Amino acid sequence: MAYFDPSFERSTGLRQTLGRMATRLFETPFDARQRRLAARVADLRALSDAELAARGLQRQDILFHVFGGGA
């Protein structure tokens, strides 16, 4: 199976918008869940250590928190 990564393609605003619409149109519930989880991990990783501590987390626990049922 081949994998195509379009992340390095340059596209216009309209082409980008249409691409996102097509992606969402054919998106499965699994895809949507994975996208939400990845966004959650990125959001937590963007926080400072102090902000994480205020939420009761340490940086090394982010993935367990999101994927391991601690969410």
Side-chain angles (χ1 to χ4, degrees), residues 9-68:
E9 278 188 9
R10 292 183 186 255
S11 59
T12 64
L14 177 61
R15 183 174 177 194
Q16 207 170 30
T17 301
L18 291 175
R20 276 193 227 118
M21 287 173 55
T23 299
R24 295 287 170 93
L25 179 65
F26 296 108
E27 184 176 63
T28 66
F30 176 80
D31 295 330
R33 181 176 184 270
Q34 290 304 108
R35 189 174 34 80
R36 283 192 309 271
L37 290 172
R40 180 75 176 135
V41 168
D43 290 344
L44 289 173
R45 284 183 172 168
L47 297 176
S48 69
D49 289 339
E51 291 169 321
L52 286 171
R55 294 174 184 229
L57 292 172
Q58 293 182 341
R59 192 158 301 279
Q60 65 265 19
D61 298 331
I62 290 174
L63 292 179
F64 178 74
H65 175 73
V66 174
F67 293 102

